[in-house]
Amino acid sequence: MQSQPPSNQTQTKPDGMEVKRRTLLRSLVTKLGSVSEQTRAEALNELRFISKQDSDSRHIMAEAGAIPYLAETLYSSSHAAQENAAAALLNLSITCRESLMSTRGLLDAIAHALRHHSSSTSPATVQSTAATLHSLLVNESYRPIIGSKRDIIHSLIEIVKTRNSQARSIKDALKALFGIALYPLNRQQIINLGGVQPLFSLIVNDGRIGIVEDATAVIAQIAGCEESSEEFKKSKGVSVLVDFLDMGTGWSAQVKENAVAALLNLVSYGRESVGKEVREAGLKVADGVAHVAQNGSTKGKRKAVALLKVLLEGNVVRDSPFYSLLNESNLSF
């Protein structure tokens, strides 16, 4: 008996499903350009849901031209439309970063949404757009591009310093600022736009651990440039950071590691005057720095040992509790 060719039924079924999915998504994207507000709203809501639930749909949406429509919707006066568009953009940013960054006007639309954080933009839209920035900033090559948008940085700082900003909005703004500050040349931009004082005011006046962790992470990055010295002096930044390392305080391990990183960056990149202040103030909390060196993450341990060496300047006798710590090969900087 002649053998029959293998059935391709199992192959055609997913192809058919794929065709249906593409047809549906293209139809929804087309509806975003409808003259009917209700049609646009329904399409936006469905695209938001699909982009969250079905990661494979995101590239299809991008290829179908959804991103320009979504970006334009960030200018809408409708909070529901804003929120659906912003959430869809956030979902797309997980897998379609290049498509978003190559869309003309996207960053301007995000800047607009952030700039009006206390007026026409809803808190949920602020949060999603800031989170989209953080997602895009995972790509190192996008950091100088986003950092060149002064309006974005200024708006993120304003969100941080505005008293009635929601905690979630502040956290998302801080995460975006952290991503921006990872690129060294952006740090001066944040400083020039007045970012240092609001960050220190936030950590002094806000006791929420998560927000303090995020704020000190941004501060640690900003400290890594010479221009930080004067602004940190104005904000009494060194004393604030040193207080985090006091063994009598109950700050989280992450806050303590961020404080260590910030102080080390000030010594490494700042002017001699601020380096001297760090050495004098830091000696008071050498035990706290040593605690991070013994119990922190791998990176935290290395930075804490390096800071201890700066604070003690080689003046450690053999019977000092710091001697063995500074001479352990696995903790050498």
Side-chain angles (χ1 to χ4, degrees):
M1 180 182 292
Q2 186 176 3
S3 62
Q4 296 295 320
S7 171
N8 60 0
Q9 183 177 2
T10 57
Q11 297 175 355
T12 58
K13 187 174 182 180
D15 287 345
M17 291 175 62
E18 181 68 13
V19 169
K20 288 182 179 179
R21 176 163 55 178
R22 288 181 177 274
T23 301
L24 170 63
L25 292 171
R26 287 170 180 163
S27 173
L28 289 172
V29 171
T30 300
K31 289 178 179 179
L32 293 179
S34 171
V35 295
S36 166
E37 184 176 347
Q38 182 177 349
T39 299
R40 293 196 306 271
E42 290 172 354
L44 268 173
N45 187 60
E46 196 162 353
L47 285 169
R48 172 185 182 172
F49 176 78
I50 294 174
S51 65
K52 178 181 180 180
Q53 300 296 326
D54 180 12
S55 60
D56 292 335
S57 71
R58 296 167 188 159
H59 285 291
I60 301 173
M61 289 183 194
E63 291 168 4
I67 297 173
Y69 284 115
L70 297 173
E72 183 180 350
T73 306
L74 295 181
Y75 294 95
S76 171
S77 59
S78 165
H79 281 185
Q82 291 174 12
E83 290 169 12
N84 284 331
L89 286 170
L90 175 56
N91 295 334
L92 291 175
S93 75
I94 299 170
T95 50
C96 305
R97 295 187 180 105
E98 185 176 353
S99 298
L100 265 69
M101 287 298 292
S102 62
T103 299
R104 184 177 180 181
L106 173 74
L107 293 180
D108 292 334
I110 288 176
H112 171 85
L114 294 174
R115 184 168 61 251
H116 295 88
H117 64 95
S118 60
S119 55
S120 59
T121 304
S122 74
T125 302
V126 170
Q127 293 154 20
S128 290
T129 50
T132 297
L133 286 176
H134 182 247
S135 177
L136 294 172
L137 288 159
V138 169
N139 188 316
E140 293 183 17
S141 64
Y142 298 153
R143 293 169 188 168
I145 299 172
I146 294 173
S148 69
K149 298 287 186 179
R150 291 172 58 90
D151 204 9
I152 286 179
I153 296 178
H154 180 264
S155 298
L156 292 170
I157 293 170
E158 286 298 311
I159 292 168
V160 168
K161 70 190 290 187
T162 299
R163 187 176 296 274
N164 62 351
S165 291
Q166 292 189 3
R168 174 68 184 275
S169 298
I170 294 172
K171 281 183 66 66
D172 285 322
L174 289 170
K175 289 182 183 298
L177 283 171
F178 176 79
I180 291 170
L182 287 174
Y183 182 64
L185 296 183
N186 288 341
R187 296 166 189 169
Q188 183 178 354
Q189 182 84 294
I190 295 173
I191 292 169
N192 291 343
L193 290 172
V196 174
Q197 192 274 330
L199 287 167
F200 276 109
S201 293
L202 183 65
I203 63 177
V204 168
N205 298 316
D206 194 317
R208 291 171 286 191
I209 294 293
I211 286 180
V212 175
E213 286 181 351
D214 291 336
T216 51
V218 179
I219 286 170
Q221 291 300 319
I222 296 175
C225 69
E226 184 178 351
E227 294 78 11
S228 65
S229 298
E230 289 305 314
E231 291 302 313
F232 274 59
K233 281 186 177 180
K234 292 176 185 176
S235 302
K236 296 181 170 40
V238 171
S239 63
V240 172
L241 293 168
V242 165
D243 284 346
F244 285 130
L245 294 166
D246 190 316
M247 292 296 288
T249 63
W251 290 106
S252 69
Q254 188 58 61
V255 168
K256 292 178 182 294
E257 286 196 22
N258 291 342
V260 165
L263 292 169
L264 182 61
N265 273 344
L266 281 174
V267 172
S268 302
Y269 296 92
R271 299 189 178 110
E272 177 54 33
S273 58
V274 76
K276 180 181 178 183
E277 184 182 357
V278 169
R279 285 189 287 270
E280 291 176 352
L283 275 174
K284 302 173 185 176
V285 291
D287 288 343
V289 180
H291 180 79
V292 176
Q294 292 171 316
N295 302 287
S297 65
T298 301
K299 184 184 292 186
K301 287 178 180 179
R302 287 200 302 268
K303 292 189 175 184
V305 169
L307 181 59
L308 266 181
K309 289 179 178 178
V310 169
L311 298 179
L312 301 172
E313 297 182 311
N315 299 319
V316 184
V317 296
R318 281 188 174 272
D319 60 352
S320 166
F322 304 118
Y323 182 83
S324 60
L325 179 62
L326 292 178
N327 287 277
E328 289 179 15
S329 59
N330 66 321
L331 292 180
S332 60
F333 184 71

